[in-house]
Amino acid sequence: MVANRSSLFILVALCVFASVGISNAGGGGLRMNFYSKSCRQAEGIVKQIVQKRVQSNPAVAAKLVRLLFHDCFVRGCDASILLDTVGSNQAEKDARPNLSLAGFDVIDEIKIAVEQACPGNVSCADILTLSARDAVATLNPMAFYNVPTGRRDGVVSLISEVNGNIPGPNSDFTTLKNLFASKGLNVNDLVALSGAHTIGVAHCGTFSRRLFNFTGNGDADPSLDATYAQTLRSECPLPTNPSTTVEMDPGSSTKFDTSYFTILNQHKGLFQSDAALLTDSAAARIVNQLQKPSAFSSAFGRSMQKMSAIGVLVGNAGEIRKQCHFVN
């Protein structure tokens, strides 16, 4: 997962909650059916709205998954990515890697519906986490995974905490591995979560260096399939148009399947960070294993569960926001 649409990935700085309350790096305090008594229709409301939006526009799924990744990478899964800038305090969403994030309107629609049903009970953090799961499952029911709930919302969102916590599209394997490790994620998680690039699109600027000036001499990245590189150059000519996008998984960007791992072995991974997975023997073996649909679905679900439990606020920490864009 990668910054700027290219993105998707994950998790939390484990020691940044002093101003918020108690954080929980391991996800303890979350449980299945947390809202069974306080708002038993909550998960049904989330599912209904997400299914409607994804069925109407399959591109919404990638937006919701990416939104969760970028939230969890900074301060943990506390919905801090949803907070707007207030006064001179610039929020996370205004950081450069987050400027192309989308899907906020879906979360807002869900929050309004949930507040009408059960005022003050369901957190924006849980809505975001459930939405990402339901978006993937709408595209591929095999990819459904359980989501324990009970997260509370953070009250801090700082633009200064974003850089260095979200992997960029040009990251090498060592950088990716170390960043994931700092969030409590291993190589299995890195590869499985990279599989989210099977859906969605990327802006040309996030990978144009691979096409036109990889070493500074006007050359292409030799690890990129030459024919694919030529196709990309025709779709993303210089000067780069900031509004032009291409599929991250050619021909399969609205299907949550294993095509990403197949094209990766064909040296058609769009980002340098994708290609980096083949530079490590352990990661490359996992890439091969996850070409099996059942293996990918299981691995992705486990890693999403793990990711979405890091740095969560539970108990009396944080708050339940009335509106996802603002603290109470």
Side-chain angles (χ1 to χ4, degrees), residues 27-310:
L30 302 180
R31 66 176 187 270
M32 295 299 298
N33 304 311
F34 180 85
Y35 298 108
S36 60
K37 294 182 179 179
S38 61
C39 189
R40 60 186 179 83
Q41 62 268 57
E43 294 195 27
I45 292 172
V46 175
K47 181 179 179 180
Q48 181 182 27
I49 293 175
V50 170
Q51 283 185 334
K52 177 191 69 174
R53 297 293 293 267
V54 173
Q55 288 168 353
S56 174
N57 178 11
V60 168
K63 295 174 181 179
L64 292 174
V65 174
R66 184 175 181 236
L67 197 55
L68 178 63
F69 287 162
H70 281 237
D71 181 50
C72 293
F73 252 124
V74 182
R75 287 196 160 258
C77 306
D78 67 345
S80 55
I81 191 62
L82 304 179
L83 289 172
D84 287 347
T85 289
V86 177
S88 60
N89 175 52
Q90 285 189 285
E92 292 171 27
K93 64 168 59 172
D94 291 332
R96 184 174 180 182
N98 292 334
L99 293 178
S100 60
L101 289 175
F104 297 100
D105 58 317
V106 182
I107 304 302
D108 291 342
E109 181 180 349
I110 296 169
K111 181 62 172 175
I112 289 170
V114 169
E115 284 296 305
Q116 289 175 344
C118 316
N121 279 288
V122 182
S123 70
C124 299
D126 274 340
I127 289 172
L128 180 53
T129 305
L130 290 164
S131 295
R133 187 274 308 278
D134 289 338
V136 168
T138 299
L139 294 180
N140 181 358
M142 277 185 60
F144 179 90
Y145 55 91
N146 289 322
V147 173
T149 44
R151 296 165 189 79
R152 289 171 64 85
D153 299 321
V155 298
V156 175
S157 182
L158 301 173
I159 190 173
S160 60
E161 295 182 344
V162 175
N163 289 335
N165 277 309
I166 296 177
N170 297 319
S171 299
D172 60 22
F173 183 79
T174 299
T175 300
L176 293 170
K177 181 180 178 180
N178 290 342
L179 182 55
F180 271 67
S182 73
K183 313 303 182 183
L185 300 175
N186 58 33
V187 173
N188 287 295
D189 302 314
L190 168 59
V191 179
L193 293 171
S194 294
H197 286 173
T198 191
I199 54 175
V201 298
H203 293 278
C204 293
T206 59
F207 57 86
S208 61
R209 177 173 166 267
R210 295 190 78 196
L211 307 178
F212 298 105
N213 198 31
F214 187 65
T215 65
N217 295 310
D219 56 342
D221 182 349
S223 71
L224 186 63
D225 176 83
T227 301
Y228 182 46
Q230 184 56 46
T231 298
L232 291 173
R233 281 192 289 269
S234 67
E235 295 178 347
C236 295
L238 294 177
T240 301
N241 184 334
S243 65
T244 303
T245 61
V246 301
E247 294 178 293
M248 290 194 287
D249 185 354
S252 184
S253 66
T254 60
K255 299 176 182 178
F256 195 84
D257 56 21
T258 61
S259 176
Y260 167 80
F261 298 106
T262 300
I263 65 168
L264 198 56
N265 273 326
Q266 297 170 352
H267 302 285
K268 296 178 182 178
L270 187 59
F271 307 116
Q272 192 173 339
S273 58
D274 292 322
L277 300 181
L278 300 181
T279 65
D280 177 80
S281 59
R285 283 195 299 271
I286 299 168
V287 167
N288 290 331
Q289 293 166 1
L290 296 189
Q291 290 184 72
K292 182 179 179 182
S294 60
F296 175 46
S297 295
S298 296
F300 185 79
R302 286 193 300 270
S303 293
M304 286 290 282
Q305 288 172 329
K306 189 174 176 181
M307 179 205 75
S308 61
I310 295 181

